[in-house]
Amino acid sequence: MRARLRCGVRSDFESSDMKDLSVYRNIGIFAHVDAGKTTTTERILKLTGKIHKTGEVHDGEATTDFMEQEQERGITIQSAATSCQWAGHTLNIIDTPGHVDFTIEVYRSLKVLDGGVGVFCGSGGVEPQSETNWRYANESGVARIIFVNKLDRVGADFYSVVKQVKDVLAAQPLVMVLPIGIEDQFTGVVDLLTRKAWIWSDSTNPESYEITDMPADMADQVEEWREKLIETAVEQDDDMLEAYLEGNEPGIDDIKRCIRKGTINLDFFPTYCGSAFKNKGIQNVLNAVVDFLPNPTEVKPQPEMDLEGNETGKVALVDPEKPLRALAFKIMDDRYGALTFTRIYSGTIRKGDTVLNTFTGKTERIGRIVEMHADSREELDMAQAGDIVALLGMKNTRTGHTLADPKQPATLEPMVFPDPVISIAIKPKDKAGNEKMGVALNKMVQEDPSFQVMTDEDSGETLIMGMGELHLDIKVDILKRTHGVEVEMGKPQVAYRETITQTIEDSYTHKKQSGGSGQYGKIDYRIEPAEKNAGYEFESLVTGGNVPREYWGAIEKAFLSCMNEGTLAGYPLLDVKFTLLDGGFHAVDSSALAFEIATKAAYRQSVPKAGVQLLEPIMKVDVFSPEDNVGDVIGDLNRRRGMIKSQEAGATGVRVKADAPLAEMFGYIGHLRTLTSGRGQFSMEFSHYSACPANVAEEVIRETQERRAAS
């Protein structure tokens, strides 16, 4: 039997003003590097009639990898959006990067999606980055199905990956299909619900398959797994569970209804398998997206906040008739101008509408609305609740900003982005490139909130800051290719921080008399270490009006501004509590400025006496090593001041988890490949700041002082 596909152009319900949201699925595809996400997306687009020739990642021809850097390196750097049709449903798909330096892309994609497909490699299993992505998806409450890919590979083991999902991710996989054959013998899957086999006869054509009876030798195995599947599913419905325990098996539609409920509640994750590259198993995944993942109305609605950021108790209901609530989750600059990718949670946007950006307090006019297909687009007149579209003509809207109805404004929960942990000094190769570089960097910062740019005041150098070496390497490449700016790079610098270890009570009086009105401000204060990761705390214990309340804000802000530059080596100060104990003021001469000056002088006077300590960023490192090399890998991590947390033996090697200082991890990938003959992999993400050992701190302070003296 050949598959009949319904695909192609926009369906009838879309042309009317009201869309039927029950047939919409906003989904993301996410996984570890090289698990086959982009290849899976390509096959989905081919099957749904969106493209007619599949592009391969290794040939640099994938549809969603349209950046030059993506095509060369064979990795996805920025999430790409596309839309297609399957079985009368509209699928908005976002293909996300797998590399750890670009997890920001995964995070913000998951923030606006309703469901996802987690792709795992059949031989690699649950790899380091898979864990990070899974954690993000849990935090965002995104329902998922699992696709175990690359079952045609040597060493592939579907059942081992299912076990890893349980053990490593603490998730409940709901096995929906079993593989027929393994490695080069892999020909298809058995659907447990129908007990039918799907056999793909030709690896180049995904539509060339037949549905037949399952192999006789798999009957016992199928019954065993089918029983597990039904038992887990019917737990979602008490009546059905009772009937099942009495020996009445529910119909397939009833079971599917239970699976859908459990998937949306995140109780379990329907699990499929196949080989995207060989075009096997993708139909089952698409059917599962339609059958089990939620439509926009079935997802917990976003809470609304007022313009001050306080929750109002209201939610953004997915309804085109309600006031507009939309979240800009990504900015991308292309040859047509800046595209603002936006998820509309409530209300409707039309071309030419004026909307309020609640972050800036300014209105913006919607120039054009487009539906994206990687780097090509389709113009729309309007978009409504449940849609993911790109807007053109937005001047001041950035990632994480809310667009709302100007008459009934409200804000959605903003996105929180991590601070960069690594910086590199750059300068254009020719002087004429300075201005060009400034414009280009400004655009890049708007596109990627985890990328920052600052000018070192002492040296005048431009510093670019990001989440890892590869992250900055790609940015320099984009500068060169996209913007035509060649730059020279300095050595990578670690983003150190400072903190205090002792409590100091002190007093400072600022007095200035020079004819006319003078300046006067006296403060008695305590500076002490705050709790870890508390940042900055301010408290006033002043009673009796010795320091009038109207000056407290100036004192708080002045101390905070001083914390940008520590007293040890000039790195920002963390985790400090400043308590205003008492003080004095003058009815004529006191002002906010006088107290501001007093506070800044107090900072310089007291912080150096409070046992200042240098902190360094500690990274969570997850290394995969073949068994033979694991001793060398651990020895090397120890030499890099790494703390080994755990070791887990898998089918193809050992995973070592450790905490290690970022300063010791530069160039680690090259070294790891040498140690493991090219077979090792690792992922690394920021964990926390920790005190630097004395010998390392001395060296860092000396280098910093030399660098500043030289500039």
Side-chain angles (χ1 to χ4, degrees):
M1 180 179 101
R2 291 291 301 265
R4 285 189 304 160
L5 298 178
R6 168 149 181 225
C7 53
V9 292
R10 305 177 72 76
S11 43
D12 297 334
F13 61 80
E14 287 180 275
S15 56
S16 70
D17 256 10
M18 290 290 287
K19 296 175 180 175
D20 177 1
L21 289 174
S22 67
V23 295
Y24 268 65
R25 302 287 182 271
N26 292 320
I27 62 165
I29 297 180
F30 57 93
H32 182 87
V33 165
D34 210 25
K37 295 178 306 302
T38 303
T39 307
T40 305
T41 308
E42 285 292 306
R43 298 309 184 264
I44 288 173
L45 296 178
K46 172 78 169 62
L47 269 176
T48 54
K50 196 75 188 190
I51 57 174
H52 300 290
K53 171 187 175 287
T54 49
E56 302 304 347
V57 174
H58 51 263
D59 297 335
E61 288 179 359
T63 310
T64 51
D65 285 353
F66 53 84
M67 289 170 67
E68 282 180 36
Q69 294 83 352
E70 295 178 312
Q71 293 167 2
E72 274 180 19
R73 298 169 191 242
I75 61 172
T76 303
I77 294 168
Q78 55 184 25
S79 34
T82 184
S83 180
C84 56
Q85 307 280 312
W86 181 258
H89 287 65
T90 297
L91 314 184
N92 292 320
I93 301 173
I94 294 183
D95 174 29
T96 60
H99 199 286
V100 67
D101 284 8
F102 308 107
T103 43
I104 188 83
E105 290 280 343
V106 181
Y107 165 74
R108 57 184 173 179
S109 300
L110 285 167
K111 184 90 180 144
V112 298
L113 293 169
D114 305 328
V117 179
V119 181
F120 297 96
C121 173
S123 56
V126 177
E127 291 167 288
Q129 196 53 33
S130 320
E131 265 184 87
T132 306
N133 292 342
W134 198 263
R135 192 175 70 246
Y136 281 161
N138 284 343
E139 286 168 10
S140 303
V142 172
R144 281 145 282 169
I145 54 178
I146 292 171
F147 177 55
V148 180
N149 190 21
K150 302 191 178 183
L151 280 196
D152 56 317
R153 269 202 174 176
V154 174
D157 184 343
F158 174 66
Y159 301 100
S160 162
V161 179
V162 168
K163 187 172 178 310
Q164 279 186 350
V165 169
K166 264 187 195 161
D167 298 347
V168 178
L169 302 178
Q172 173 70 43
L174 187 70
V175 175
M176 301 295 295
V177 299
L178 295 184
I180 302 170
I182 205 75
E183 298 178 353
D184 57 349
Q185 300 298 308
F186 174 67
T187 56
V189 298
V190 176
D191 180 335
L192 291 178
L193 284 180
T194 59
R195 299 186 176 92
K196 292 288 184 190
W198 292 58
I199 310 287
W200 282 266
S201 52
D202 175 6
S203 69
T204 58
N205 182 4
E207 295 170 51
S208 163
Y209 69 90
E210 55 179 4
I211 297 178
T212 63
D213 292 333
M214 65 179 174
D217 61 347
M218 287 183 70
D220 291 349
Q221 198 183 10
V222 166
E223 288 312 310
E224 180 195 336
W225 283 93
R226 191 173 188 271
E227 198 174 313
K228 283 185 199 170
L229 162 65
I230 296 172
E231 275 175 11
T232 307
V234 295
E235 283 175 5
Q236 298 292 322
D237 186 308
D238 291 345
D239 295 342
M240 228 181 283
L241 176 63
E242 205 170 309
Y244 180 70
L245 292 173
E246 286 167 8
N248 302 315
E249 185 178 298
I252 285 179
D253 286 347
D254 287 333
I255 298 171
K256 279 187 172 177
R257 200 174 65 249
C258 287
I259 296 173
R260 180 177 185 84
K261 186 181 170 192
T263 306
I264 293 172
N265 290 341
L266 308 187
D267 291 337
F268 46 69
F269 305 92
T271 301
Y272 295 81
C273 63
S275 164
F277 184 56
K278 295 283 176 62
N279 289 294
K280 294 172 181 173
I282 302 296
Q283 284 93 336
N284 310 95
V285 172
L286 281 167
N287 291 336
V289 166
V290 166
D291 288 343
F292 305 133
L293 290 183
N295 67 50
T297 63
E298 293 172 309
V299 177
K300 194 174 163 194
Q302 290 279 319
E304 290 184 2
M305 299 177 177
D306 61 21
L307 299 184
E308 274 72 54
N310 307 309
E311 288 206 17
T312 58
K314 294 180 182 170
V315 293
L317 287 172
V318 184
D319 181 344
E321 302 297 318
K322 295 281 185 207
L324 175 67
R325 307 283 184 256
L327 185 72
F329 67 95
K330 177 179 168 67
I331 312 288
M332 196 172 100
D333 207 71
D334 75 354
R335 57 188 184 272
Y336 302 102
L339 292 166
T340 306
F341 283 85
T342 305
R343 163 74 194 263
I344 304 170
Y345 286 101
S346 165
T348 303
I349 290 182
R350 287 184 171 79
K351 209 159 71 175
D353 277 0
T354 297
V355 298
L356 174 71
N357 179 330
T358 58
F359 185 86
T360 61
K362 294 178 179 162
T363 54
E364 296 250 30
R365 190 173 174 278
I366 308 290
R368 287 153 66 200
I369 306 170
V370 293
E371 188 180 80
M372 296 301 294
H373 174 55
D375 63 343
S376 63
R377 65 207 48 204
E378 188 174 334
E379 293 266 350
L380 303 175
D381 290 326
M382 53 99 52
Q384 63 178 47
D387 281 338
I388 294 178
V389 290
L391 307 175
L392 281 98
M394 312 302 282
K395 295 212 170 33
N396 299 305
T397 300
R398 304 286 175 263
T399 298
H401 288 187
T402 299
L403 302 174
D405 183 334
K407 294 190 185 74
Q408 293 171 274
T411 300
L412 299 167
E413 186 186 13
M415 297 181 177
V416 180
F417 298 112
D419 287 330
V421 290
I422 176 174
S423 65
I424 290 178
I426 58 167
K427 63 176 183 194
K429 284 191 175 171
D430 54 70
K431 291 226 167 80
N434 249 328
E435 192 177 334
K436 206 170 168 188
M437 182 176 86
V439 171
L441 287 172
N442 192 32
K443 280 185 179 172
M444 287 159 70
V445 167
Q446 289 173 21
E447 289 177 13
D448 180 356
S450 63
F451 174 65
Q452 291 179 17
V453 177
M454 66 175 278
T455 305
D456 188 309
E457 285 174 15
D458 299 330
S459 65
E461 285 181 321
T462 300
L463 294 177
I464 56 172
M465 298 175 284
M467 303 313 295
E469 280 181 284
L470 179 67
H471 190 197
L472 295 184
D473 190 26
I474 297 279
K475 295 297 180 194
V476 168
D477 206 27
I478 292 172
L479 266 178
K480 180 180 163 184
R481 305 251 192 123
T482 311
H483 303 284
V485 181
E486 295 237 17
V487 296
E488 289 172 359
M489 293 163 63
K491 264 178 52 187
Q493 302 294 331
V494 177
Y496 291 100
R497 295 287 184 265
E498 297 177 18
T499 193
I500 57 171
T501 55
Q502 296 162 22
T503 300
I504 294 281
E505 286 195 14
D506 216 336
S507 176
Y508 190 87
T509 307
H510 171 67
K511 208 179 334 183
K512 190 178 175 191
Q513 217 68 46
S514 56
S517 65
Q519 290 178 351
Y520 182 83
K522 176 177 185 285
I523 52 170
D524 299 341
Y525 54 90
R526 179 166 62 237
I527 297 173
E528 60 192 309
E531 290 207 6
K532 222 171 181 176
N533 303 319
Y536 169 51
E537 289 177 45
F538 174 84
E539 188 182 5
S540 174
L541 301 177
V542 176
T543 52
N546 287 352
V547 179
R549 188 179 282 271
E550 69 226 51
Y551 301 138
W552 293 2
I555 296 169
E556 182 179 357
K557 279 186 185 144
F559 196 86
L560 182 61
S561 71
C562 291
M563 284 174 62
N564 289 327
E565 195 170 324
T567 58
L568 194 62
Y571 292 106
L573 197 66
L574 287 185
D575 305 337
V576 173
K577 183 174 180 185
F578 181 93
T579 308
L580 183 63
L581 301 170
D582 204 351
F585 83 108
H586 188 279
V588 178
D589 293 349
S590 286
S591 64
L593 179 65
F595 278 101
E596 199 175 303
I597 295 169
T599 307
K600 287 179 176 177
Y603 177 89
R604 291 192 295 274
Q605 168 181 289
S606 302
V607 168
K609 297 186 277 191
V612 187
Q613 189 179 50
L614 198 67
L615 302 176
E616 61 181 348
I618 305 293
M619 309 301 279
K620 210 160 48 183
V621 184
D622 195 333
V623 185
F624 170 82
S625 162
E627 213 162 309
D628 304 348
N629 310 110
V630 74
D632 295 339
V633 167
I634 287 174
D636 182 56
L637 283 169
N638 285 330
R639 277 193 295 282
R640 294 171 186 268
R641 298 195 281 124
M643 290 274 297
I644 308 297
K645 295 283 184 155
S646 68
Q647 294 177 55
E648 293 163 28
T652 52
V654 179
R655 280 182 64 186
V656 179
K657 294 188 177 186
D659 284 351
L662 174 64
E664 306 288 345
M665 296 302 288
F666 289 139
Y668 180 64
I669 186 65
H671 199 71
L672 176 67
R673 282 182 180 147
T674 308
L675 284 177
T676 59
S677 311
R679 289 186 300 162
Q681 294 181 16
F682 91 110
S683 104
M684 184 165 81
E685 62 178 312
F686 173 70
S687 171
H688 60 280
Y689 275 97
S690 179
C692 256
N695 58 329
V696 175
E698 279 168 25
E699 183 69 15
V700 170
I701 294 164
R702 187 180 58 75
E703 276 183 16
T704 308
Q705 286 167 344
E706 282 175 5
R707 202 164 56 246
R708 291 190 173 174
S711 59

